Amino acid sequence: MNQNQAERLQAERKKTENEFDITQYEHVPRRYYGRIFFATLIVIALAGLARAFANGQIEWGYIGQFLTSEAILWGLVNTIVMSILAMILGVVIGVITAIMRMSANPILRYVAITYTWLFRGTPLILQLLLWFNLALIFPVIGVPGVFQLDTVSLMTPFVAALLGLSINQGAYTAEVVRAGLLSVDTGQYEAAKSIGMPRLQALRRVILPQAMRVIIPPVGNEFISMVKMTSLASVIQYSELLHNAQNIYYANARVMELLIVAGIWYLAVVTVLSFGQSRLELRFARGAGKRS
Amino acid sequence: MRSIVKAVGLNKYYDQFHALKDVSIEVEQGEVLCIIGPSGSGKSTLLRCVNQLEKIDKGGLWVDGELVGYRVVGNKLHELTDAQVARQRLSTGMVFQRFNLFPHMTALQNVIEGPIQVLKRSPKEANEEAIELLARVGLADKRHSYPVELSGGQQQRVAIARALAMRPKLMLFDEPTSALDPELVGEVLSVMRDLAHSGMTMIVVTHELGFAREVSNRMVFMDGGQIVEAGSPEDILISPQNPRTQSFISAVRT
C-alpha cells in the first residue's frame, strides 16, 4: 500500500465519521395535521351549540329562581336520602349474596345465583312497579298468626322505592364483592389462619381490606348510577328531584328550564361523590405499590 | 424428651391423587427436622397437615400432645369448630414459600397483628416485642416499610418475625428460600440458623442441602407421598441406603 492510497483511505474514513455525527442537530417534532383539523372542527361545533343555547327560547331567570325553590330542594334531599339508604342496603345484600355464592352448600349457592339472575335480568322500572303494586296480589302480608300488615299502607312510595332499588342493587354488588374476594391471594387466607385467626376475623382484618381496593371503584360507579336511578322512582310517586321538577312544570309549563334545574343538581351530587370516591381509593391503596 | 409432633398413619387425598400414604413421624422438643424430596412428594402437604391448612383424611396427628382437628367421642372423630382449630394453630408458626405478608400493613403492623388481634395483648407490649423481633431478624430500621418496599429476603425475615410474635412451640418452614433470588437466600438461612441454635423446634421443607446438613438433627427423604428414608444428615446426604434417595441426592448435587 503506497502513501497516496493510505491518505485517501483516511480521508474517506473521516468523511464517513462526520456523516454519523448528528449530536448537534435540532429535533423537529412531527405535526399532526389530522388532529389539528378535527380539534378545529369540534371547536366550531361547540361554538355553534353555545350560540344555539344562547338564542334558544330558554328563560334563564326561571332556572335561577327554581334552582333553590323549596320543592326542588326537598326533592334533592329525598334523592340523596334514597340513594344512600338504597346503596347501604344494596351493599349489605350484595355482601351476603357474594358469601352465599361462594359457599360449599349448594342450596345457598343456587339461591344466590337465582337471585342475581332474576334481578339483573328484569328492568328496574318493572321491579319498582311490581313492589308498588304488590297489594294487588297480596292484600295483607305477614306471618300467619304472628302479625299481619295491610300491604297498601305498608308499600308507600318510599318503601317500594327503597326495596326496588336496593334489591336490584344487591344483585349487581354481589358480583362486584365476589370479584373483590376472589382477587385476594389464597396465601393471604393461609397466612391469617397461620397466626390463629378464625375465619371471620381473617375476613375482616386481612381479606376485606385488600378486596376493598378492587371493590371500591365499581361500587363508586354504582353509587353514581344509583343517584340517577332514583329518578325512576318518580313513576311510583316517590317525591324525588325529577318527580318534583315534573310537578312544577306540569303547573307552569317551563319544561326545559326545570329539567335543566334537575340536571344541575344531579351533576352537583355526582361531582361530590366522585371526589369522595377518589379519597376512599387513596385510603385503601396503602401498601399497594406505585400503581395508581 | 417430649414429642411436639406425632403423626401416626397419615393419609391425604386430593380427589384421586394419594398425596400422603401412611406417613408416621415424630418430632421431639428442640429438634430440627429437615424434609427433602422431589416436588409432588408430599413434603409440603405433610407440613400443611401439621398446621391444619390441609385436612387429614385418615390417621392421627398430635401437636403438643393434642389431637389435631378432631375430638374423640366414643370411637368416632368429630370435626372441631373453626374457633377451636384457630386456637390449636396458636402452638405452631408457619413461614410460607411466597412470604404471604399482609400487603396493606407495614412490617411492624404485620408482626403485631396476631398478638393484638388474636392474643389480645396490649398494643404497647406487642409493639415493644415486635420491634425486638424485627431487630433480631435485622430489620428494625424497616419497621415502617410496606412489604412492596422490601426485598424478598427482607419480606421473608419479616414473615419469620410475624410467626415468632405468636410465641409458637413449633415453627414450620415451607420451602422458605425457594422464591428468593440466589443472593438473598443467605440472609434468610442465617436467621433460621440462629433460631435453630436458640432451641426452637423446627420442621423445614427445603432444597438447601448444605443448610439442612448444618442445622438439622434429623432428615427425612420423601417420595411419592411416603417417607422413604429417615436418619441423621450424614446418613441421608452422604451414605443414603435407598436407591431413590441416592438418585435424588446425586441429581440435586450436580
Side-chain angles (χ1 to χ4, degrees):
Chain A
M1 189 190 301
N2 63 37
Q3 183 135 12
N4 225 342
Q5 264 179 321
E7 263 171 28
R8 214 172 45 229
L9 224 106
Q10 204 171 6
E12 234 166 59
R13 196 174 297 147
K14 199 163 190 181
K15 194 178 141 211
T16 326
E17 266 167 28
N18 282 343
E19 219 172 284
F20 285 106
D21 185 19
I22 58 166
T23 50
Q24 303 299 319
Y25 290 12
E26 191 192 348
H27 286 236
V28 183
R30 182 187 153 192
R31 308 213 81 170
Y32 295 91
Y33 293 106
R35 292 181 198 176
I36 295 167
F37 174 73
F38 280 109
T40 314
L41 220 59
I42 286 167
V43 168
I44 293 169
L46 285 177
L49 204 60
R51 188 170 165 275
F53 268 92
N55 296 336
Q57 291 168 351
I58 301 171
E59 294 287 339
W60 295 97
Y62 274 103
I63 294 176
Q65 185 194 330
F66 280 105
L67 197 60
T68 52
S69 71
E70 207 188 323
I72 290 293
L73 288 182
W74 269 117
L76 176 67
V77 169
N78 283 338
T79 289
I80 293 174
V81 167
M82 179 57 68
S83 306
I84 293 174
L85 289 182
M87 201 63 201
I88 291 173
L89 204 56
V91 169
V92 170
I93 295 172
V95 170
I96 294 170
T97 309
I99 292 172
M100 280 170 67
R101 174 84 198 256
M102 295 166 83
S103 164
N105 183 311
I107 292 178
L108 295 182
R109 204 165 57 238
Y110 282 111
V111 165
I113 291 171
T114 309
Y115 158 69
T116 309
W117 170 75
L118 200 60
F119 286 90
R120 281 203 311 191
T122 50
L124 175 58
I125 195 160
L126 182 140
Q127 291 173 33
L128 287 169
L129 289 168
L130 282 177
W131 287 112
F132 191 54
N133 294 305
L134 204 63
L136 294 177
I137 48 170
F138 305 125
V140 287
I141 47 177
V143 180
V146 184
F147 73 97
Q148 284 202 325
L149 287 168
D150 197 8
T151 309
V152 176
S153 55
L154 179 76
M155 272 302 157
T156 61
F158 175 82
V159 173
L162 182 60
L163 279 176
L165 289 168
S166 61
I167 291 176
N168 179 72
Q169 186 57 49
Y172 285 92
T173 310
E175 288 296 278
V176 172
V177 172
R178 193 166 70 94
L181 292 175
L182 288 176
S183 76
V184 181
D185 188 70
T186 50
Q188 292 292 314
Y189 289 88
E190 295 185 348
K193 284 181 190 170
S194 80
I195 58 168
M197 285 191 176
R199 197 174 301 145
L200 269 181
Q201 194 177 32
L203 202 65
R204 189 170 56 83
R205 295 286 311 174
V206 175
I207 307 304
L208 275 180
Q210 294 180 60
M212 287 306 260
R213 260 187 68 235
V214 177
I215 293 173
I216 286 174
V219 166
N221 213 10
E222 285 178 358
F223 202 160
I224 287 168
S225 290
M226 174 63 84
V227 171
K228 294 170 293 170
M229 282 199 301
T230 54
S231 64
L232 289 178
S234 61
V235 300
I236 54 169
Q237 314 308 319
Y238 179 61
S239 168
E240 49 70 60
L241 187 52
L242 184 64
H243 185 255
N244 288 8
Q246 285 178 314
N247 277 352
I248 297 171
Y249 72 60
Y250 290 146
N252 71 2
R254 311 300 329 183
V255 177
M256 285 302 273
E257 286 81 354
L258 278 146
L259 288 178
I260 290 171
V261 164
I264 289 171
W265 278 120
Y266 281 117
L267 270 176
V269 173
V270 168
T271 306
V272 172
L273 276 180
S274 311
F275 180 71
Q277 184 187 341
S278 40
R279 295 295 298 272
L280 213 58
E281 281 177 22
L282 276 182
R283 201 184 120 64
F284 282 101
R286 280 173 307 172
K290 299 279 179 278
R291 242 172 345 141
S292 61
Chain B
M1 270 297 188
R2 210 163 71 87
S3 69
I4 292 272
V5 178
K6 185 181 171 74
V8 180
L10 285 191
N11 278 277
K12 170 76 193 168
Y13 296 86
Y14 295 109
D15 293 323
Q16 298 298 309
F17 181 65
H18 200 170
L20 290 179
K21 299 173 189 161
D22 283 322
V23 171
S24 298
I25 195 169
E26 217 165 317
V27 181
E28 285 172 355
Q29 192 162 21
E31 196 176 21
V32 177
L33 175 79
C34 283
I35 306 176
I36 59 169
S39 51
S41 60
K43 52 197 196 309
S44 283
T45 306
L46 175 60
L47 202 67
R48 292 163 61 84
C49 283
V50 174
N51 206 12
Q52 304 193 54
L53 291 178
E54 302 292 347
K55 232 172 70 183
I56 299 158
D57 291 317
K58 209 173 140 221
L61 179 69
W62 287 262
V63 173
D64 199 24
E66 207 176 330
L67 178 64
V68 153
Y70 295 94
R71 191 162 44 91
V72 181
V73 180
N75 58 357
K76 289 205 172 83
L77 293 174
H78 289 250
E79 234 174 271
L80 295 182
T81 66
D82 188 45
Q84 289 167 324
V85 170
R87 191 190 54 72
Q88 283 192 334
R89 284 203 185 98
L90 291 178
S91 55
T92 59
M94 176 115 177
V95 175
F96 300 90
Q97 184 179 353
R98 284 172 53 245
F99 332 132
N100 296 347
L101 287 182
F102 305 133
H104 57 303
M105 301 181 190
T106 62
L108 183 67
Q109 287 168 338
N110 263 280
V111 180
I112 62 176
E113 180 68 10
I116 292 178
Q117 298 295 331
V118 180
L119 300 178
K120 308 291 179 203
R121 302 245 298 276
S122 81
K124 189 173 167 290
E125 198 190 333
N127 260 297
E128 283 168 10
E129 198 177 311
I131 291 170
E132 256 171 58
L133 279 169
L134 284 172
R136 192 167 151 195
V137 299
L139 289 172
D141 57 325
K142 294 286 186 192
R143 60 179 178 269
H144 297 307
S145 301
Y146 285 97
V148 70
E149 299 158 347
L150 300 172
S151 74
Q154 290 170 333
Q155 288 190 51
Q156 194 60 300
R157 286 186 281 153
V158 173
I160 294 172
R162 176 176 69 180
L164 289 175
M166 302 301 288
R167 298 181 181 164
K169 294 182 176 148
L170 164 73
M171 284 284 285
L172 308 173
F173 293 85
D174 189 4
E175 301 195 27
T177 58
S178 298
L180 295 176
D181 290 337
E183 79 271 22
L184 302 177
V185 169
E187 62 190 61
V188 172
L189 291 184
S190 135
V191 167
M192 289 170 63
R193 192 176 294 122
D194 291 347
L195 195 59
H197 291 151
S198 76
M200 175 62 78
T201 313
M202 293 163 60
I203 305 179
V204 186
V205 170
T206 186
H207 293 297
E208 300 287 335
L209 298 188
F211 171 79
R213 181 171 181 194
E214 184 193 339
V215 302
S216 67
N217 309 95
R218 205 148 52 90
M219 281 185 72
V220 160
F221 171 72
M222 286 185 74
D223 193 15
Q226 287 170 314
I227 292 181
V228 174
E229 195 165 350
S232 72
E234 284 73 24
D235 290 343
I236 301 293
L237 295 173
I238 298 173
S239 48
Q241 302 302 310
N242 189 294
R244 277 194 283 174
T245 319
Q246 288 164 353
S247 69
F248 177 78
I249 299 289
S250 66
V252 172
R253 274 279 154 76
T254 52

